[in-house]
Coordinates of all heavy atoms in Angstrom, one line a residue:
L120 N 14.1 -8.9 -60.8 CA 13.5 -10.0 -61.5 C 14.2 -10.2 -62.9 O 14.2 -11.3 -63.4 CB 12.1 -9.8 -61.7 CG 11.4 -9.8 -60.3 CD1 9.8 -9.6 -60.5 CD2 11.6 -10.9 -59.4
Q121 N 14.8 -9.1 -63.4 CA 15.3 -9.3 -64.8 C 16.5 -10.3 -64.8 O 16.6 -11.2 -65.6 CB 15.8 -7.9 -65.3 CG 16.3 -8.1 -66.7 CD 16.7 -6.8 -67.4 OE1 16.5 -5.7 -66.7 NE2 17.1 -6.7 -68.7
A122 N 17.4 -10.2 -63.9 CA 18.5 -11.0 -63.7 C 18.0 -12.5 -63.3 O 18.5 -13.5 -64.1 CB 19.5 -10.6 -62.6
V123 N 17.0 -12.6 -62.6 CA 16.5 -13.9 -62.2 C 15.8 -14.6 -63.5 O 16.0 -15.8 -63.8 CB 15.6 -13.8 -61.0 CG1 14.9 -15.2 -60.9 CG2 16.2 -13.3 -59.8
S124 N 15.1 -13.7 -64.2 CA 14.3 -14.2 -65.3 C 15.3 -14.8 -66.3 O 15.1 -15.8 -66.9 CB 13.6 -13.0 -66.0 OG 13.0 -13.5 -67.2
K125 N 16.4 -14.0 -66.6 CA 17.4 -14.4 -67.5 C 18.1 -15.7 -67.4 O 18.3 -16.7 -68.1 CB 18.6 -13.4 -67.7 CG 19.6 -13.7 -68.8 CD 20.6 -12.5 -68.8 CE 21.6 -13.0 -69.9 NZ 22.7 -11.8 -70.1
S126 N 18.4 -16.0 -66.0 CA 19.0 -17.1 -65.4 C 18.0 -18.3 -65.6 O 18.4 -19.4 -66.0 CB 19.3 -16.9 -64.1 OG 20.0 -18.2 -63.6
V127 N 16.7 -18.2 -65.2 CA 15.7 -19.2 -65.4 C 15.5 -19.7 -66.8 O 15.5 -20.8 -67.1 CB 14.4 -18.8 -64.7 CG1 13.2 -19.9 -65.0 CG2 14.7 -18.7 -63.3
R128 N 15.4 -18.7 -67.6 CA 15.4 -18.9 -69.2 C 16.5 -19.8 -69.7 O 16.4 -20.7 -70.4 CB 15.2 -17.7 -69.9 CG 13.8 -17.1 -69.6 CD 13.7 -15.7 -70.4 NE 12.4 -15.1 -70.1 CZ 11.4 -15.3 -70.8 NH1 11.3 -16.2 -71.8 NH2 10.3 -14.6 -70.6
Q129 N 17.7 -19.5 -69.1 CA 18.9 -20.3 -69.5 C 18.7 -21.6 -69.1 O 19.1 -22.6 -69.9 CB 20.1 -19.5 -69.0 CG 20.6 -18.2 -69.8 CD 20.9 -18.6 -71.2 OE1 21.7 -19.8 -71.6 NE2 20.4 -17.8 -72.1
Q130 N 18.2 -21.7 -67.9 CA 18.0 -23.3 -67.4 C 17.1 -24.0 -68.2 O 17.2 -25.2 -68.4 CB 17.8 -23.2 -65.9 CG 18.9 -22.6 -64.9 CD 20.2 -23.2 -65.3 OE1 20.4 -24.4 -65.3 NE2 21.2 -22.4 -65.4
A131 N 16.0 -23.3 -68.6 CA 14.9 -24.1 -69.5 C 15.7 -24.6 -70.8 O 15.3 -25.6 -71.2 CB 13.9 -23.0 -69.8
L132 N 16.5 -23.7 -71.4 CA 17.2 -24.0 -72.6 C 18.1 -25.3 -72.3 O 18.2 -26.2 -73.2 CB 18.0 -22.8 -73.2 CG 17.1 -21.7 -73.6 CD1 18.1 -20.6 -74.0 CD2 16.1 -22.1 -74.8
T133 N 18.8 -25.2 -71.1 CA 19.8 -26.3 -70.8 C 19.1 -27.6 -70.4 O 19.6 -28.6 -70.8 CB 20.5 -25.8 -69.5 OG1 21.2 -24.7 -69.8 CG2 21.6 -26.8 -69.1
W134 N 17.9 -27.5 -69.8 CA 17.2 -28.7 -69.6 C 16.8 -29.4 -70.9 O 17.0 -30.6 -71.2 CB 15.9 -28.4 -68.8 CG 14.8 -29.4 -69.0 CD1 13.6 -29.2 -69.4 CD2 14.9 -30.9 -68.7 NE1 12.8 -30.3 -69.5 CE2 13.6 -31.5 -69.1 CE3 15.9 -31.8 -68.3 CZ2 13.4 -32.8 -69.0 CZ3 15.7 -33.2 -68.2 CH2 14.4 -33.6 -68.5
G135 N 16.1 -28.6 -71.8 CA 15.8 -29.2 -73.1 C 16.9 -29.7 -73.8 O 17.0 -30.9 -74.5
A136 N 18.2 -29.2 -73.7 CA 19.3 -29.7 -74.5 C 19.8 -30.9 -73.9 O 20.3 -31.9 -74.5 CB 20.4 -28.5 -74.4
S137 N 19.8 -30.9 -72.5 CA 20.3 -32.1 -71.8 C 19.5 -33.3 -72.1 O 20.0 -34.4 -72.4 CB 20.2 -31.8 -70.3 OG 21.1 -30.7 -69.9
R138 N 18.2 -33.1 -72.1 CA 17.2 -34.3 -72.4 C 17.4 -34.8 -73.8 O 17.6 -35.9 -74.1 CB 15.8 -33.7 -72.1 CG 14.7 -34.8 -72.4 CD 13.4 -34.1 -72.6 NE 13.6 -33.2 -73.8 CZ 12.7 -32.2 -73.9 NH1 11.6 -31.8 -73.0 NH2 12.7 -31.4 -75.0
D139 N 17.5 -33.7 -74.8 CA 17.6 -34.1 -76.2 C 18.9 -34.7 -76.6 O 19.1 -35.6 -77.4 CB 17.3 -32.9 -77.1 CG 15.8 -32.5 -76.9 OD1 15.0 -33.3 -76.4 OD2 15.5 -31.3 -77.3
R140 N 20.0 -34.3 -75.9 CA 21.3 -34.8 -76.2 C 21.4 -36.2 -75.9 O 21.9 -37.0 -76.7 CB 22.5 -34.1 -75.5 CG 23.8 -34.4 -75.8 CD 24.9 -33.7 -75.0 NE 24.9 -34.1 -73.6 CZ 25.8 -34.0 -72.7 NH1 27.0 -33.4 -73.1 NH2 25.8 -34.4 -71.5
A141 N 20.9 -36.5 -74.7 CA 20.9 -37.9 -74.2 C 20.0 -38.8 -75.1 O 20.3 -40.0 -75.6 CB 20.3 -38.0 -72.8
A142 N 18.8 -38.3 -75.6 CA 18.0 -39.1 -76.3 C 18.4 -39.4 -77.8 O 18.4 -40.6 -78.2 CB 16.6 -38.3 -76.5
F143 N 19.0 -38.4 -78.4 CA 19.5 -38.6 -79.7 C 20.9 -39.3 -79.9 O 21.1 -39.7 -81.0 CB 19.6 -37.1 -80.5 CG 18.1 -36.8 -81.0 CD1 17.4 -35.8 -80.1 CD2 17.5 -37.2 -82.0 CE1 16.1 -35.4 -80.4 CE2 16.2 -36.9 -82.4 CZ 15.6 -35.8 -81.5
S144 N 21.5 -39.5 -78.9 CA 22.6 -40.3 -78.9 C 22.4 -41.7 -79.1 O 23.2 -42.5 -79.7 CB 23.4 -40.2 -77.5 OG 22.6 -40.8 -76.4
V145 N 21.0 -42.2 -79.0 CA 20.7 -43.5 -79.3 C 20.7 -43.7 -80.7 O 21.1 -44.8 -81.3 CB 19.2 -43.8 -78.6 CG1 18.7 -45.1 -79.1 CG2 19.2 -43.7 -77.1
Y146 N 20.1 -42.5 -81.4 CA 20.4 -42.6 -82.9 C 21.9 -42.4 -83.4 O 22.3 -43.1 -84.2 CB 19.3 -41.5 -83.5 CG 18.0 -42.0 -83.8 CD1 17.0 -41.6 -82.7 CD2 17.5 -42.6 -84.8 CE1 15.7 -41.9 -82.8 CE2 16.1 -42.9 -85.0 CZ 15.3 -42.5 -83.8 OH 13.9 -42.9 -84.1
G147 N 22.4 -41.5 -82.7 CA 23.8 -41.2 -83.2 C 24.6 -42.4 -83.0 O 25.5 -42.6 -83.9
N148 N 24.5 -43.2 -82.0 CA 25.4 -44.3 -81.7 C 24.8 -45.7 -82.3 O 25.3 -46.7 -82.1 CB 25.5 -44.6 -80.2 CG 26.6 -43.6 -79.6 OD1 27.6 -43.2 -80.1 ND2 26.2 -43.1 -78.5
G149 N 23.7 -45.5 -83.1 CA 23.1 -46.6 -83.6 C 23.7 -47.4 -84.6 O 23.4 -48.6 -85.0
F150 N 24.8 -47.0 -85.2 CA 25.6 -47.9 -86.1 C 26.7 -48.5 -85.5 O 27.5 -49.3 -86.0 CB 26.2 -46.9 -87.3 CG 25.1 -46.2 -88.1 CD1 24.9 -44.7 -87.8 CD2 24.3 -46.9 -89.0 CE1 24.0 -44.1 -88.6 CE2 23.5 -46.2 -89.7 CZ 23.2 -44.8 -89.5
T151 N 26.9 -48.2 -84.1 CA 28.2 -48.8 -83.5 C 27.7 -49.4 -82.1 O 27.5 -50.6 -82.1 CB 29.2 -47.7 -83.3 OG1 28.5 -46.6 -82.5 CG2 29.8 -47.1 -84.7
T152 N 27.7 -48.6 -81.1 CA 27.6 -49.2 -79.8 C 26.3 -49.2 -79.1 O 26.1 -49.9 -78.0 CB 28.5 -48.3 -78.8 OG1 28.0 -46.9 -78.8 CG2 29.9 -48.2 -79.2
Q153 N 25.2 -48.6 -79.9 CA 23.8 -48.6 -79.2 C 23.2 -49.9 -79.9 O 23.0 -50.2 -81.0 CB 23.1 -47.4 -79.8 CG 21.7 -47.4 -79.2 CD 21.6 -47.1 -77.7 OE1 22.3 -46.4 -77.1 NE2 20.8 -48.0 -76.9
L154 N 22.9 -50.9 -78.9 CA 22.5 -52.2 -79.3 C 20.8 -52.3 -79.1 O 20.4 -51.7 -78.2 CB 23.1 -53.3 -78.4 CG 24.7 -53.2 -78.4 CD1 25.3 -54.4 -77.8 CD2 25.3 -53.2 -79.9
T155 N 20.4 -53.3 -79.7 CA 19.0 -53.7 -79.6 C 19.0 -55.0 -78.7 O 20.0 -55.6 -78.3 CB 18.2 -53.9 -80.9 OG1 18.9 -54.8 -81.6 CG2 18.2 -52.5 -81.7
I156 N 17.7 -55.5 -78.6 CA 17.5 -56.7 -77.7 C 18.2 -58.0 -78.3 O 18.6 -58.9 -77.5 CB 16.0 -56.9 -77.4 CG1 15.7 -57.6 -76.1 CG2 15.4 -57.5 -78.7 CD1 14.4 -57.7 -75.8
D157 N 18.5 -57.9 -79.6 CA 19.2 -59.1 -80.3 C 20.7 -58.9 -80.2 O 21.5 -59.8 -80.7 CB 18.7 -59.3 -81.6 CG 18.9 -58.2 -82.5 OD1 19.5 -57.2 -82.0 OD2 18.5 -58.3 -83.7

Side-chain angles (χ1 to χ4, degrees):
L120 299 181
Q121 184 175 2
V123 175
S124 173
K125 183 177 180 180
S126 182
V127 171
R128 288 176 183 274
Q129 283 298 315
Q130 296 310 314
L132 297 174
T133 303
W134 154 241
S137 300
R138 177 198 62 199
D139 293 346
R140 184 183 69 160
F143 284 98
S144 69
V145 174
Y146 278 94
N148 288 319
F150 302 104
T151 54
T152 58
Q153 184 69 43
L154 309 182
T155 59
I156 203 164
D157 60 359

